[in-house]
Amino acid sequence: MNKFYSMLGLCRKAGKLLAGSFGVEKGVVSLKVCLVVISTDASDNTKKKFINLCNSKSIPYLIVGNKEDIGKSIGKGDTAVIGITDVNLSNKLLIEAEEVLTNGGE
C-alpha cells in the first residue's frame, strides 16, 4: 500500500489532485477528474454520494485506505475523498491498488 500512498503524494506535487468533497464533486461534474479515491472510513452518505456521482459520469473510483493515511500522503489532515485529474496517474493508481488487493499487501 505504500506505493499507492506515494503515488498520491506525487499527484499532489504535480498539481493533479483535488482534495475534499466540494472540490472533487465540482471536478467530477465538470469531467476534469479521471479517478476518485474514497477512504474506507468515509461516512456512508459520502460513499453513496460519490459512488452514484462517479457511476453517472462513468468515472472509476476506488474505496481504499483510511482518511488519516490518505491525508498524510497528500500533506493534509484527514481526507475522505480525493480526485485525480491526470489520466496517466489515474491508470497507475488503479494498477497499484489492484496489485495491493490481489497480492494482499505490498
Side-chain angles (χ1 to χ4, degrees):
M1 194 58 120
N2 283 342
K3 271 186 165 180
F4 180 80
Y5 290 124
S6 296
M7 286 292 301
L8 291 181
L10 181 68
C11 292
R12 186 195 62 78
K13 288 177 185 159
K16 303 295 182 182
L17 182 141
L18 302 173
S21 291
F22 183 73
V24 175
E25 184 177 358
K26 278 182 67 173
V28 170
V29 170
S30 64
L31 297 175
K32 291 182 179 171
V33 169
C34 305
L35 173 68
V36 173
V37 179
I38 307 166
S39 70
T40 56
D41 57 348
S43 73
D44 290 338
N45 284 342
T46 299
K47 287 180 189 173
K48 184 178 179 182
K49 173 184 176 179
F50 281 98
I51 289 169
N52 290 337
L53 193 57
C54 288
N55 286 337
S56 73
K57 300 290 185 178
S58 299
I59 294 174
Y61 64 90
L62 293 169
I63 300 176
V64 65
N66 60 50
K67 292 188 269 192
E68 182 182 0
D69 290 340
I70 290 172
K72 269 189 211 170
S73 69
I74 62 170
K76 295 187 178 279
D78 291 0
T79 306
V81 182
I82 58 173
I84 309 301
T85 59
D86 181 84
V87 174
N88 295 325
L89 291 171
S90 297
N91 290 336
K92 182 68 174 155
L93 280 168
L94 286 167
I95 291 166
E96 289 298 332
E98 186 163 330
E99 284 179 18
V100 168
L101 296 172
T102 307
N103 299 331
E106 325 249 338

